[in-house]
Amino acid sequence: MNTIRLAVDVDSGDYGPRVVLSGIVEARAALDVPFKVYMCGNRERIEAAADEVGGGERLGDVQVVECNDIIDPGDRRASVWKKQTGAAIVRCITLQKEGAVDASISAGDTAILMGAALFILGRSEGALRPVLAALLPTVKKKPVLLLDVGANLNCRSEHLVSFGILGERYLGRTRKIPSPVVTLLNIGKEAVKGTREIAEAGVQLRERCSGYGGFIEGNDVLTGDADVVVCDGFSGNVLLKACESFHRLAGSVLGDTASHNDDYKRKMMILDPDNYGAVPFLGIDGTVLKAHGGSSSRAIANAIAAAITAVKSRAVREPM
Amino acid sequence: MNTIRLAVDVDSGDYGPRVVLSGIVEARAALDVPFKVYMCGNRERIEAAADEVGGGERLGDVQVVECNDIIDPGDRRASVWKKQTGAAIVRCITLQKEGAVDASISAGDTAILMGAALFILGRSEGALRPVLAALLPTVKKKPVLLLDVGANLNCRSEHLVSFGILGERYLGRTRKIPSPVVTLLNIGKEAVKGTREIAEAGVQLRERCSGYGGFIEGNDVLTGDADVVVCDGFSGNVLLKACESFHRLAGSVLGDTASHNDDYKRKMMILDPDNYGAVPFLGIDGTVLKAHGGSSSRAIANAIAAAITAVKSRAVREPM
């Protein structure tokens, strides 16, 4: 098998280079496939972190890509890719554009990463906007795909339609579900409910998605009846994080009775950012994964595993 | 104590008059306060339902208010109050305007109920728009107040600010929290995150709410650090219902280990529409409660209890 080449943004994330490099070490120990990591960031800090995590041997096949541009919090985030070309989060994407790597991982700002991915790599065929997708557990054995979970805050109807189609094709490729049930998140099931954008998107999705299942309310998202739930990035982010919050609440009250229940633990694994690692952008012509800002080393290790799987299966990158 | 007079919309709700009348019977048995119910709806169907639930004696002090206007699904919902003045959901509110009742309860359409309440009863002093408020459980002993949960889908910054102030004053009155921590739901904590409306609302709330606590993400809503979470009605509806959905998911996996845990059961009670009964509109010059479309008889009984408590404490109606 060819060595899979990954660009990892070592500068972003809340906990600094040491945690990201620990993640690489953990991935190296856990994964039985050859992969090379291009560590993008400040050389001095990367070298100090490398020493802290036990040095080059434990990191394996890695290379430092020096990146020294600093992003100012006042910069317009969607255009950072044009101005700070030497920022680690942008450099990952240009490496990918140059063909030096197969995929990128960053725990940096979503809007900056999306801007870079969209304008440097371009959209995949037929996609209107990139979208972040996440999986949620359901009452049934299969999870539900939720998109968008934070890339697009204001969506017109055609964007929602495009998300539905991206989700349908993604599940077709990754889970071999030929005609997944695609639903639109709304505050009621009746046609008069919700915004005009949602109503219009519903009309179009009914024509364009063979498995379109109509509107879905928040209280039915986790029943397992839907395979895909489409919404704007604000609602999706709230929904995803509310589930994480509720999971923690249940755990805090139930304690051992929850944590010792294997079924429960298994089902909830996909809700824990440490386990899912990172979520993919769909609609980009390339594999770009967004890790949580607060990623632990285990989250980074799992993000690397997810990126490798995506590259191998061409799950994210294949055109619509 | 004076008899509290309630208008109950018997025509709305998914399960028809029999369930609503059963709710009145259950409330009568459970509550030790004198109250009279004006049952608004189709006389024939109410009388048939009254027979089914055991007749007049079990219903106690009730009166039928005949309402025969039918709302067409194609009607513009916010102006139904003007055209279908003889629809049960509207008649409840006009009874209240006339001073015949102290509060109204309906399981009908939120937009229709809000239109009627807003235009017939008017806003309470200082409120810009009515808002639906709900309580969520938290890791701490106290719940968090979430608003809006479905009355206003598109909100400008001044609406969000107004919701924050309504929430602050409501908790001041009902829970004697003098300076509650008021937060704004967003997809990140940094000032650059989210929409312009949210950013502007944050600036204003910092000036106008003494306990303003900044942005909050979905994953921190249930930690108990915030007393009030402000958001638009779409996100709030999704958040509230996602918690209900997750609660059912956890219950389905954990089974007895959850249902036999008293702490868990107690904490989750406020999430179950059967228990909370109905949620109040804040910002209306009067006590109007919106019950879930799928209300059971127990939900209606608890909605009656909630309405009586609100009237007695003047919790909802008192001006800002």
Side-chain angles (χ1 to χ4, degrees):
Chain A
M1 194 195 318
N2 288 338
T3 295
I4 288 170
R5 304 155 306 160
L6 305 174
V8 174
D9 170 6
V10 176
D11 262 1
S12 303
D14 301 344
Y15 305 123
R18 200 188 54 76
V19 166
V20 180
L21 267 64
S22 296
I24 298 171
V25 170
E26 288 176 37
R28 194 66 74 190
L31 299 172
D32 199 21
V33 285
F35 66 93
K36 173 168 186 168
V37 177
Y38 290 80
M39 304 185 294
C40 299
N42 175 276
R43 179 178 296 277
E44 231 166 80
R45 294 202 295 146
I46 291 177
E47 286 173 353
D51 285 344
E52 286 183 63
V53 302
E57 200 168 315
R58 301 190 68 206
L59 285 163
D61 189 3
V62 293
Q63 184 174 325
V64 175
V65 179
E66 191 156 8
C67 300
N68 291 314
D69 276 12
I70 306 292
I71 298 167
D72 188 279
D75 289 331
R76 237 191 107 241
R77 293 176 298 151
S79 52
V80 158
W81 68 275
K82 242 189 313 195
K83 292 169 61 191
Q84 275 89 8
T85 52
I89 189 170
V90 180
R91 193 71 189 97
C92 289
I93 306 295
T94 50
L95 280 175
Q96 194 168 342
K97 179 67 179 177
E98 292 158 7
V101 299
D102 305 300
S104 300
I105 298 167
S106 173
D109 183 281
T110 303
I112 295 175
L113 183 62
M114 179 167 105
L118 175 60
F119 291 107
I120 296 171
L121 298 176
R123 283 184 281 249
S124 60
E125 203 186 323
L128 289 183
R129 280 188 190 177
V131 61
L132 279 175
L135 292 169
L136 294 176
T138 75
V139 171
K140 298 188 181 167
K141 282 211 185 305
K142 57 179 185 182
V144 57
L145 186 74
L146 177 68
L147 72 184
D148 180 18
V149 297
N152 307 278
L153 303 193
N154 297 306
C155 294
R156 292 202 306 272
S157 57
E158 60 264 37
H159 301 130
L160 297 172
V161 172
S162 161
F163 301 167
I165 295 168
L166 281 168
E168 180 181 57
R169 300 199 178 169
Y170 180 72
L171 286 189
R173 287 196 302 278
T174 58
R175 297 182 179 255
K176 313 292 174 214
I177 306 178
S179 184
V181 178
V182 175
T183 59
L184 256 175
L185 187 65
N186 203 349
I187 60 166
K189 288 191 189 61
E190 307 88 337
V192 295
K193 291 292 173 87
T195 63
R196 207 186 51 203
E197 287 73 26
I198 294 173
E200 286 175 7
V203 172
Q204 290 178 49
L205 276 173
R206 190 171 297 283
E207 284 175 13
R208 297 185 56 187
C209 270
S210 58
Y212 179 61
F215 295 153
I216 191 167
E217 293 183 73
N219 45 352
D220 288 326
V221 166
L222 309 181
T223 58
D225 295 328
D227 297 306
V228 178
V229 173
V230 171
C231 58
D232 69 82
F234 192 94
S235 311
N237 191 277
V238 164
L239 175 50
L240 171 66
K241 289 179 177 168
C243 289
E244 291 175 19
S245 193
F246 203 95
H247 176 44
R248 286 211 307 272
L249 169 65
S252 83
V253 183
L254 293 171
D256 286 352
T257 54
S259 61
H260 290 171
N261 184 307
D262 288 338
D263 270 2
Y264 187 73
K265 271 166 58 187
R266 204 177 307 116
K267 215 175 254 289
M268 297 305 161
M269 271 184 69
I270 55 171
L271 259 192
D272 181 350
D274 276 0
N275 284 310
Y276 65 71
V279 291
F281 276 105
L282 303 184
I284 288 289
D285 188 18
T287 304
V288 177
L289 282 90
K290 163 76 180 96
H292 207 283
S295 286
S296 65
S297 57
R298 190 154 75 85
I300 296 295
N302 281 321
I304 290 171
I308 290 171
T309 305
V311 170
K312 279 165 60 184
S313 67
R314 295 180 58 80
V316 176
R317 135 151 248 203
E318 203 167 313
M320 291 176 68
Chain B
M1 195 194 318
N2 289 338
T3 295
I4 289 171
R5 304 155 306 159
L6 305 174
V8 174
D9 170 7
V10 176
D11 262 2
S12 304
D14 301 345
Y15 306 123
R18 199 189 53 76
V19 167
V20 179
L21 267 63
S22 295
I24 298 170
V25 170
E26 289 176 35
R28 194 67 74 192
L31 299 172
D32 199 21
V33 284
F35 66 94
K36 172 167 187 171
V37 177
Y38 291 79
M39 305 185 295
C40 299
N42 174 277
R43 179 178 297 276
E44 234 167 76
R45 294 204 295 145
I46 291 176
E47 285 172 354
D51 285 343
E52 286 184 62
V53 302
E57 200 170 313
R58 299 190 69 205
L59 285 163
D61 190 2
V62 293
Q63 184 174 323
V64 175
V65 179
E66 190 156 10
C67 300
N68 291 315
D69 275 12
I70 306 291
I71 298 167
D72 188 277
D75 288 332
R76 238 192 105 241
R77 292 176 298 150
S79 52
V80 159
W81 67 275
K82 240 188 311 195
K83 292 169 61 192
Q84 275 87 9
T85 51
I89 189 170
V90 180
R91 193 71 189 95
C92 288
I93 305 295
T94 50
L95 279 176
Q96 194 169 340
K97 180 68 179 176
E98 293 158 6
V101 300
D102 304 301
S104 299
I105 298 167
S106 174
D109 183 281
T110 303
I112 295 176
L113 184 61
M114 180 166 106
L118 175 60
F119 292 107
I120 296 171
L121 297 176
R123 283 185 281 250
S124 60
E125 202 188 322
L128 289 183
R129 279 189 190 176
V131 61
L132 279 175
L135 292 169
L136 294 175
T138 75
V139 171
K140 298 188 181 168
K141 282 210 186 307
K142 58 180 184 182
V144 56
L145 186 76
L146 177 68
L147 72 182
D148 179 18
V149 297
N152 307 277
L153 303 193
N154 297 305
C155 295
R156 293 202 306 273
S157 56
E158 60 264 36
H159 301 131
L160 297 172
V161 172
S162 161
F163 300 167
I165 295 168
L166 281 168
E168 180 180 57
R169 301 200 177 167
Y170 180 71
L171 286 190
R173 287 196 301 278
T174 57
R175 297 183 179 254
K176 314 291 175 212
I177 305 179
S179 183
V181 177
V182 175
T183 59
L184 256 175
L185 188 65
N186 203 348
I187 61 165
K189 288 191 189 64
E190 307 87 338
V192 295
K193 291 293 173 86
T195 62
R196 209 186 48 206
E197 286 73 26
I198 295 172
E200 286 175 7
V203 172
Q204 290 178 49
L205 276 173
R206 190 170 297 284
E207 284 174 14
R208 296 184 57 187
C209 270
S210 58
Y212 179 62
F215 294 152
I216 191 166
E217 292 182 75
N219 46 353
D220 288 327
V221 165
L222 309 180
T223 59
D225 295 328
D227 297 306
V228 178
V229 173
V230 172
C231 58
D232 68 84
F234 193 93
S235 312
N237 191 277
V238 165
L239 176 49
L240 171 66
K241 288 178 177 168
C243 289
E244 291 175 20
S245 193
F246 204 96
H247 176 45
R248 286 210 308 272
L249 169 65
S252 83
V253 183
L254 292 171
D256 287 351
T257 54
S259 62
H260 290 171
N261 184 307
D262 289 338
D263 271 2
Y264 188 72
K265 271 165 58 187
R266 203 175 310 115
K267 215 176 254 289
M268 297 305 162
M269 270 183 70
I270 54 171
L271 260 192
D272 181 351
D274 276 1
N275 283 310
Y276 65 71
V279 292
F281 276 106
L282 303 185
I284 288 288
D285 189 19
T287 303
V288 177
L289 282 88
K290 163 78 180 91
H292 207 284
S295 287
S296 65
S297 58
R298 190 154 74 86
I300 297 294
N302 281 320
I304 290 172
I308 290 172
T309 304
V311 170
K312 279 165 59 183
S313 67
R314 296 180 59 81
V316 177
R317 138 151 246 204
E318 204 167 312
M320 290 176 68

mmCIF file of all heavy atoms in Angstrom, chain A residues 273-301:
data_model
loop_
_atom_site.group_PDB
_atom_site.id
_atom_site.type_symbol
_atom_site.label_atom_id
_atom_site.label_comp_id
_atom_site.label_asym_id
_atom_site.label_seq_id
_atom_site.Cartn_x
_atom_site.Cartn_y
_atom_site.Cartn_z
ATOM 1 N N PRO A 273 -15.966 13.828 20.992
ATOM 2 C CA PRO A 273 -14.960 14.304 20.037
ATOM 3 C C PRO A 273 -13.639 13.537 20.158
ATOM 4 O O PRO A 273 -12.935 13.368 19.170
ATOM 5 C CB PRO A 273 -14.764 15.772 20.423
ATOM 6 C CG PRO A 273 -16.002 16.160 21.147
ATOM 7 C CD PRO A 273 -16.491 14.918 21.838
ATOM 8 N N ASP A 274 -13.322 13.050 21.356
ATOM 9 C CA ASP A 274 -12.112 12.236 21.508
ATOM 10 C C ASP A 274 -12.158 10.993 20.633
ATOM 11 O O ASP A 274 -11.135 10.506 20.161
ATOM 12 C CB ASP A 274 -11.958 11.786 22.964
ATOM 13 C CG ASP A 274 -11.281 12.857 23.798
ATOM 14 O OD1 ASP A 274 -10.955 13.919 23.240
ATOM 15 O OD2 ASP A 274 -11.096 12.615 24.999
ATOM 16 N N ASN A 275 -13.358 10.470 20.421
ATOM 17 C CA ASN A 275 -13.502 9.252 19.627
ATOM 18 C C ASN A 275 -13.651 9.496 18.131
ATOM 19 O O ASN A 275 -13.065 8.798 17.326
ATOM 20 C CB ASN A 275 -14.723 8.449 20.090
ATOM 21 C CG ASN A 275 -14.431 7.721 21.377
ATOM 22 O OD1 ASN A 275 -13.417 7.031 21.484
ATOM 23 N ND2 ASN A 275 -15.285 7.898 22.369
ATOM 24 N N TYR A 276 -14.503 10.484 17.772
ATOM 25 C CA TYR A 276 -14.701 10.663 16.329
ATOM 26 C C TYR A 276 -13.543 11.445 15.717
ATOM 27 O O TYR A 276 -13.317 11.403 14.522
ATOM 28 C CB TYR A 276 -16.070 11.236 15.972
ATOM 29 C CG TYR A 276 -16.388 12.640 16.436
ATOM 30 C CD1 TYR A 276 -15.793 13.744 15.882
ATOM 31 C CD2 TYR A 276 -17.351 12.855 17.429
ATOM 32 C CE1 TYR A 276 -16.118 15.026 16.300
ATOM 33 C CE2 TYR A 276 -17.683 14.121 17.838
ATOM 34 C CZ TYR A 276 -17.057 15.206 17.276
ATOM 35 O OH TYR A 276 -17.386 16.466 17.696
ATOM 36 N N GLY A 277 -12.781 12.158 16.548
ATOM 37 C CA GLY A 277 -11.566 12.802 16.060
ATOM 38 C C GLY A 277 -11.818 14.096 15.327
ATOM 39 O O GLY A 277 -11.467 15.164 15.806
ATOM 40 N N ALA A 278 -12.436 14.013 14.174
ATOM 41 C CA ALA A 278 -12.669 15.208 13.367
ATOM 42 C C ALA A 278 -13.828 14.936 12.428
ATOM 43 O O ALA A 278 -14.151 13.789 12.150
ATOM 44 C CB ALA A 278 -11.417 15.539 12.554
ATOM 45 N N VAL A 279 -14.463 16.007 11.954
ATOM 46 C CA VAL A 279 -15.564 15.848 11.010
ATOM 47 C C VAL A 279 -15.127 16.328 9.627
ATOM 48 O O VAL A 279 -14.372 17.285 9.510
ATOM 49 C CB VAL A 279 -16.837 16.598 11.469
ATOM 50 C CG1 VAL A 279 -17.425 15.928 12.699
ATOM 51 C CG2 VAL A 279 -16.560 18.059 11.750
ATOM 52 N N PRO A 280 -15.592 15.657 8.563
ATOM 53 C CA PRO A 280 -15.149 16.023 7.222
ATOM 54 C C PRO A 280 -15.956 17.176 6.635
ATOM 55 O O PRO A 280 -17.135 17.335 6.927
ATOM 56 C CB PRO A 280 -15.442 14.741 6.418
ATOM 57 C CG PRO A 280 -16.622 14.135 7.109
ATOM 58 C CD PRO A 280 -16.470 14.471 8.572
ATOM 59 N N PHE A 281 -15.300 17.982 5.813
ATOM 60 C CA PHE A 281 -16.026 18.890 4.933
ATOM 61 C C PHE A 281 -16.502 18.077 3.738
ATOM 62 O O PHE A 281 -15.691 17.399 3.083
ATOM 63 C CB PHE A 281 -15.100 19.992 4.411
ATOM 64 C CG PHE A 281 -14.934 21.147 5.343
ATOM 65 C CD1 PHE A 281 -13.765 21.305 6.064
ATOM 66 C CD2 PHE A 281 -15.940 22.085 5.497
ATOM 67 C CE1 PHE A 281 -13.601 22.385 6.931
ATOM 68 C CE2 PHE A 281 -15.787 23.163 6.360
ATOM 69 C CZ PHE A 281 -14.618 23.316 7.078
ATOM 70 N N LEU A 282 -17.772 18.134 3.439
ATOM 71 C CA LEU A 282 -18.270 17.570 2.183
ATOM 72 C C LEU A 282 -18.424 18.728 1.193
ATOM 73 O O LEU A 282 -18.643 19.867 1.584
ATOM 74 C CB LEU A 282 -19.625 16.881 2.376
ATOM 75 C CG LEU A 282 -19.684 15.770 3.425
ATOM 76 C CD1 LEU A 282 -21.068 15.127 3.432
ATOM 77 C CD2 LEU A 282 -18.597 14.740 3.195
ATOM 78 N N GLY A 283 -18.302 18.426 -0.084
ATOM 79 C CA GLY A 283 -18.474 19.461 -1.108
ATOM 80 C C GLY A 283 -17.173 20.141 -1.492
ATOM 81 O O GLY A 283 -17.183 21.099 -2.268
ATOM 82 N N ILE A 284 -16.038 19.690 -0.935
ATOM 83 C CA ILE A 284 -14.716 20.224 -1.263
ATOM 84 C C ILE A 284 -14.010 19.213 -2.169
ATOM 85 O O ILE A 284 -14.150 18.006 -1.962
ATOM 86 C CB ILE A 284 -13.898 20.413 0.043
ATOM 87 C CG1 ILE A 284 -14.425 21.582 0.863
ATOM 88 C CG2 ILE A 284 -12.406 20.580 -0.249
ATOM 89 C CD1 ILE A 284 -14.146 22.937 0.268
ATOM 90 N N ASP A 285 -13.230 19.694 -3.108
ATOM 91 C CA ASP A 285 -12.493 18.783 -3.980
ATOM 92 C C ASP A 285 -11.195 18.349 -3.285
ATOM 93 O O ASP A 285 -10.085 18.720 -3.693
ATOM 94 C CB ASP A 285 -12.195 19.468 -5.317
ATOM 95 C CG ASP A 285 -11.607 18.477 -6.325
ATOM 96 O OD1 ASP A 285 -11.763 17.260 -6.093
ATOM 97 O OD2 ASP A 285 -11.001 18.924 -7.303
ATOM 98 N N GLY A 286 -11.351 17.577 -2.231
ATOM 99 C CA GLY A 286 -10.212 17.124 -1.440
ATOM 100 C C GLY A 286 -10.684 16.731 -0.059
ATOM 101 O O GLY A 286 -11.800 17.075 0.341
ATOM 102 N N THR A 287 -9.833 16.000 0.661
ATOM 103 C CA THR A 287 -10.218 15.522 1.986
ATOM 104 C C THR A 287 -9.661 16.467 3.051
ATOM 105 O O THR A 287 -8.458 16.514 3.284
ATOM 106 C CB THR A 287 -9.680 14.100 2.213
ATOM 107 O OG1 THR A 287 -10.170 13.267 1.156
ATOM 108 C CG2 THR A 287 -10.116 13.550 3.548
ATOM 109 N N VAL A 288 -10.563 17.228 3.672
ATOM 110 C CA VAL A 288 -10.168 18.182 4.708
ATOM 111 C C VAL A 288 -11.007 17.893 5.942
ATOM 112 O O VAL A 288 -12.235 17.854 5.859
ATOM 113 C CB VAL A 288 -10.393 19.638 4.240
ATOM 114 C CG1 VAL A 288 -10.048 20.622 5.353
ATOM 115 C CG2 VAL A 288 -9.575 19.929 2.988
ATOM 116 N N LEU A 289 -10.317 17.669 7.070
ATOM 117 C CA LEU A 289 -11.046 17.357 8.298
ATOM 118 C C LEU A 289 -10.858 18.452 9.328
ATOM 119 O O LEU A 289 -9.746 18.927 9.557
ATOM 120 C CB LEU A 289 -10.595 16.014 8.873
ATOM 121 C CG LEU A 289 -11.196 14.805 8.153
ATOM 122 C CD1 LEU A 289 -10.305 14.383 6.999
ATOM 123 C CD2 LEU A 289 -11.411 13.649 9.109
ATOM 124 N N LYS A 290 -11.967 18.808 9.960
ATOM 125 C CA LYS A 290 -11.953 19.832 11.008
ATOM 126 C C LYS A 290 -12.027 19.137 12.359
ATOM 127 O O LYS A 290 -13.016 18.466 12.665
ATOM 128 C CB LYS A 290 -13.171 20.745 10.798
ATOM 129 C CG LYS A 290 -13.574 21.621 11.981
ATOM 130 C CD LYS A 290 -12.656 22.800 12.165
ATOM 131 C CE LYS A 290 -13.108 23.641 13.382
ATOM 132 N NZ LYS A 290 -12.374 23.306 14.612
ATOM 133 N N ALA A 291 -10.955 19.288 13.158
ATOM 134 C CA ALA A 291 -10.965 18.744 14.513
ATOM 135 C C ALA A 291 -11.489 19.822 15.459
ATOM 136 O O ALA A 291 -11.429 21.013 15.175
ATOM 137 C CB ALA A 291 -9.560 18.313 14.912
ATOM 138 N N HIS A 292 -12.025 19.408 16.572
ATOM 139 C CA HIS A 292 -12.528 20.275 17.632
ATOM 140 C C HIS A 292 -11.399 21.174 18.143
ATOM 141 O O HIS A 292 -10.254 20.721 18.224
ATOM 142 C CB HIS A 292 -12.978 19.342 18.763
ATOM 143 C CG HIS A 292 -14.054 19.910 19.621
ATOM 144 N ND1 HIS A 292 -13.811 20.849 20.577
ATOM 145 C CD2 HIS A 292 -15.377 19.653 19.678
ATOM 146 C CE1 HIS A 292 -14.940 21.153 21.189
ATOM 147 N NE2 HIS A 292 -15.919 20.444 20.658
ATOM 148 N N GLY A 293 -11.706 22.437 18.465
ATOM 149 C CA GLY A 293 -10.673 23.318 19.028
ATOM 150 C C GLY A 293 -10.045 22.704 20.273
ATOM 151 O O GLY A 293 -8.842 22.797 20.503
ATOM 152 N N GLY A 294 -10.854 22.054 21.080
ATOM 153 C CA GLY A 294 -10.356 21.487 22.327
ATOM 154 C C GLY A 294 -9.903 20.036 22.170
ATOM 155 O O GLY A 294 -10.027 19.245 23.114
ATOM 156 N N SER A 295 -9.368 19.689 21.011
ATOM 157 C CA SER A 295 -8.970 18.295 20.758
ATOM 158 C C SER A 295 -7.875 17.827 21.716
ATOM 159 O O SER A 295 -6.873 18.502 21.918
ATOM 160 C CB SER A 295 -8.448 18.164 19.316
ATOM 161 O OG SER A 295 -9.506 18.221 18.397
ATOM 162 N N SER A 296 -8.078 16.639 22.246
ATOM 163 C CA SER A 296 -7.051 15.968 23.044
ATOM 164 C C SER A 296 -6.133 15.214 22.091
ATOM 165 O O SER A 296 -6.406 15.127 20.888
ATOM 166 C CB SER A 296 -7.723 14.969 23.983
ATOM 167 O OG SER A 296 -8.340 13.957 23.188
ATOM 168 N N SER A 297 -5.068 14.619 22.621
ATOM 169 C CA SER A 297 -4.167 13.839 21.768
ATOM 170 C C SER A 297 -4.920 12.643 21.170
ATOM 171 O O SER A 297 -4.704 12.260 20.020
ATOM 172 C CB SER A 297 -2.952 13.372 22.563
ATOM 173 O OG SER A 297 -3.361 12.618 23.678
ATOM 174 N N ARG A 298 -5.845 12.070 21.941
ATOM 175 C CA ARG A 298 -6.610 10.941 21.424
ATOM 176 C C ARG A 298 -7.497 11.381 20.261
ATOM 177 O O ARG A 298 -7.665 10.658 19.270
ATOM 178 C CB ARG A 298 -7.464 10.301 22.529
ATOM 179 C CG ARG A 298 -8.100 8.988 22.120
ATOM 180 C CD ARG A 298 -8.371 8.093 23.318
ATOM 181 N NE ARG A 298 -9.513 8.531 24.084
ATOM 182 C CZ ARG A 298 -10.776 8.206 23.816
ATOM 183 N NH1 ARG A 298 -11.054 7.420 22.795
ATOM 184 N NH2 ARG A 298 -11.757 8.638 24.576
ATOM 185 N N ALA A 299 -8.071 12.590 20.387
ATOM 186 C CA ALA A 299 -8.888 13.127 19.295
ATOM 187 C C ALA A 299 -8.038 13.298 18.041
ATOM 188 O O ALA A 299 -8.487 12.956 16.931
ATOM 189 C CB ALA A 299 -9.504 14.463 19.703
ATOM 190 N N ILE A 300 -6.822 13.804 18.189
ATOM 191 C CA ILE A 300 -5.946 13.995 17.025
ATOM 192 C C ILE A 300 -5.591 12.630 16.411
ATOM 193 O O ILE A 300 -5.612 12.457 15.185
ATOM 194 C CB ILE A 300 -4.673 14.773 17.424
ATOM 195 C CG1 ILE A 300 -5.026 16.190 17.904
ATOM 196 C CG2 ILE A 300 -3.668 14.818 16.262
ATOM 197 C CD1 ILE A 300 -5.637 17.096 16.838
ATOM 198 N N ALA A 301 -5.293 11.651 17.277
ATOM 199 C CA ALA A 301 -4.988 10.307 16.767
ATOM 200 C C ALA A 301 -6.170 9.759 15.969
ATOM 201 O O ALA A 301 -6.004 9.193 14.886
ATOM 202 C CB ALA A 301 -4.640 9.372 17.929
#
